[in-house]
Amino acid sequence: MTIRSILPFIFLVSTFAKVSAQYPGWQQAIDYTMDITLDTTLHQYHGQMTAKLTNNSPDALNRAFFHLFFNAFQPESMMDVRSRTISDPDSRVGSRIVELPESEWGWIKVESLKVNGKTVEFTHDGTILEVQLNAPIRAGKRATFEMTWSAQVPRQIRRSGWMNKEGIEYSMTQWYPKVCEYNHDGWHTEPYIGREYHGIWGDYDVTIHAPKGYTIGGTGVLQQSMESAISSGTWNFIAEDVIDFAWAADPDYLHSTTKAGEVTLNFYHQASEEYNENWAELPEYAAKAMAFLNELVGPYPYPQYSIIQGGDGGMEYPMATLITGERSLRSLVGVTVHEMAHSWFQAVLATNESLYEFMDEGMTSYVTTLCMRHLFAEAITSGFPHRSSYSSYINQALSGNEEPLITHADHYQTNRAYGVAAYSKGEVLLAQLSAIIGSNARDQGLQEYFAKWSFKHPGPLELKQCMEAASGLDLDWYFQYFINTTHTIDYAIKSVYENESSATINLERIGAMPMPQNITITFANGVIEQYHAPLTMMRGNKALADNETLLPDWPWTHPTYSFTIVTSSPIVSIELDALRQTADVNRDNNTVSFEVEWQRIYQRN
Ligand SMILES: [Zn+2]
């Protein structure tokens, strides 16, 4: 039984009846067998593959598409032009592609292609290969693609290529002709502009012939001993139920392993006097991180995970990551934790990252923050763990350049707008639920989401449903506002009228986005009281602590809200959202403090 078939089955019995109407109940399936011969003189390779695509959709497929990512690394490619014309280019790309000599371009040229034994016509269109099928692949049928191709590995520019800035010879990511995803909302044939991938789960059996003496790490499990692979130059990896396959090769890699429960963690890096110590400490942190993430989100389902020096920063792949390695310990652990955390969101849930990038980067950032806090507890002084994402998002919102979270990952007008939305606002999306449904319901919702939607490509609605199920609250409004609009949150204390025995507090919603309110009142006798005003449209309220008092609902249509409390001591201060769980863009109007005297009136100007 494969991983994919075991994991969901555990949860299927209890959750099947609740599966949403949008979820179709099928996924395409693909199995690749590849044989690759690497020429390290020309930086080229030759490949042949058999890819068996099972069309589990109810639709007949008349065409098929493959990604040819390496074709992005040529002058005038979409990636090149985009990176030279966007107002804030990624410094790793900039104008580097247009300046490459032809011998350093990347390309993939398909030489032959047969489908079910018969030659078919195909067209190279930049980073996509279009295949005209002789006969449709009917619903429920399997088609066998037999392909030969040659490729030139680009000089390392973005993620993949030969000779990265730290001297790693081959970072082989987005490197082979990969069948595009067809799912319930159609084909996904995104040209390669710069970011995010989508793929079909399947089994990969990849044999790589490299010069003797090279060490290769990557996705999958090596089928022979590393010593025999190094001396023979033949490397066979098998990976089950993955959406992609990545590898890296270098003659100078040092390799070590450790265990995280049943999972083997592999480490590959080059010897470096300055950084060896950090790499020596990394395995212990990585094992602790995997244990923490297993607990927080759900069990990591693959047999191994490889942390490999390579690439141009950090990039996630199934069962592997390529990271740059010349880093401080904190930075090395930070990038490892982030990329490892992607395993849950990019590899196993595998939301379409082009459409819903915040559900990959944002959710990954959210758990990374918590994991780093766990690993470096002694280094954390105080405060809300997600505060840097909150301030990054709030600054962008106030700048006027924010674009909605729902924007396609490649189509933001600036790289900054993408980065803040996908990473920071995406992290806030989850963190902020603590103010709406409470931390316990949010944590439970996250685990249920992973259990229910693993290996199914969920989208925002599936996440919303799990948070609703965990809390019993209606969250349509929250996901609509926060994902589809750039409306901001700003609540204020409008006025306070106090006499000897009571106080009336008037609040105001200034921002367009509604949000339930937590109100902290401190009295002169030292007592601190908490009040909670839910939104009417939530149809309930989060679980309250013993010292919290539930106030009547606040209808979102009403810009102001008033409540009166009985007092036995004068009020010293009132604060909205004292825990800073909401992304309130203006905190100056959240607090009122009084000198202690009776008969006061406060009115905000
Ligand atoms: Zn990431």
Side-chain angles (χ1 to χ4, degrees), residues 58-135:
D59 313 315
L61 305 179
N62 296 309
R63 295 195 290 171
F65 302 89
F66 287 72
H67 294 283
L68 305 173
F69 295 111
F70 273 2
N71 288 346
F73 300 102
Q74 301 168 10
E76 299 299 321
S77 72
M78 290 177 75
M79 179 187 277
D80 171 44
V81 174
R82 177 69 167 164
S83 71
R84 286 187 285 122
T85 54
I86 196 164
S87 63
D88 61 339
D90 184 327
S91 60
R92 292 168 293 199
V93 186
S95 59
R96 288 178 64 204
I97 296 175
V98 76
E99 292 160 3
L100 287 174
E102 200 169 338
S103 60
E104 296 183 3
W105 292 3
W107 46 254
I108 293 185
K109 290 175 183 156
V110 175
E111 296 162 346
S112 69
L113 180 59
K114 287 181 179 174
V115 178
N116 294 334
K118 296 201 173 114
T119 301
V120 293
E121 289 190 12
F122 54 86
T123 316
H124 293 81
D125 184 11
T127 54
I128 295 291
L129 185 82
E130 298 181 358
V131 180
Q132 300 296 332
L133 297 171
N134 295 333

Side-chain angles (χ1 to χ4, degrees), residues 314-316 338-339 342 360-361 364-365 423:
M315 183 62 195
E316 70 277 10
H338 179 92
E339 306 312 336
H342 270 297
D360 181 34
E361 295 299 351
T364 294
S365 297
Y423 291 77

Side-chain angles (χ1 to χ4, degrees), residues 258-265 283 286-291 294 300 340:
T258 192
K259 280 282 189 184
E262 296 292 299
V263 179
T264 302
L265 301 180
K288 276 188 195 162
M290 183 162 275
N294 280 335
Y300 176 84
M340 179 191 280

Side-chain angles (χ1 to χ4, degrees), residues 218-358:
T219 303
V221 175
L222 184 62
Q223 299 297 298
Q224 65 271 56
S225 74
M226 185 150 297
E227 296 67 34
S228 73
I230 292 171
S231 60
S232 69
T234 296
W235 299 74
N236 178 223
F237 292 91
I238 290 183
E240 284 184 3
D241 294 327
V242 291
I243 56 168
D244 201 359
F245 186 97
W247 55 287
D250 195 279
D252 303 321
Y253 273 144
L254 302 174
H255 172 243
S256 64
T257 65
T258 192
K259 280 282 189 184
E262 296 292 299
V263 179
T264 302
L265 301 180
N266 287 285
F267 301 82
Y268 302 83
H269 75 105
Q270 283 187 340
S272 145
E273 239 173 68
E274 197 177 346
Y275 301 103
N276 273 353
E277 184 56 35
N278 296 344
W279 277 86
E281 290 189 44
L282 183 60
E284 194 181 332
Y285 283 101
K288 276 188 195 162
M290 183 162 275
F292 178 85
L293 294 167
N294 280 335
E295 196 70 27
L296 181 68
V297 189
Y300 176 84
Y302 299 114
Q304 76 95 14
Y305 188 73
S306 292
I307 295 151
I308 307 166
Q309 187 181 7
D312 63 350
M315 183 62 195
E316 70 277 10
Y317 301 96
M319 287 196 234
T321 179
L322 268 62
I323 59 172
T324 46
E326 297 177 358
R327 295 165 176 270
S328 67
L329 178 66
R330 173 88 192 204
S331 169
L332 188 66
V333 174
V335 70
T336 298
V337 169
H338 179 92
E339 306 312 336
M340 179 191 280
H342 270 297
S343 299
W344 283 258
F345 302 100
Q346 187 252 7
V348 177
L349 288 160
T351 295
N352 184 333
E353 304 171 61
S354 299
L355 301 180
Y356 312 121
E357 56 278 7
F358 59 96

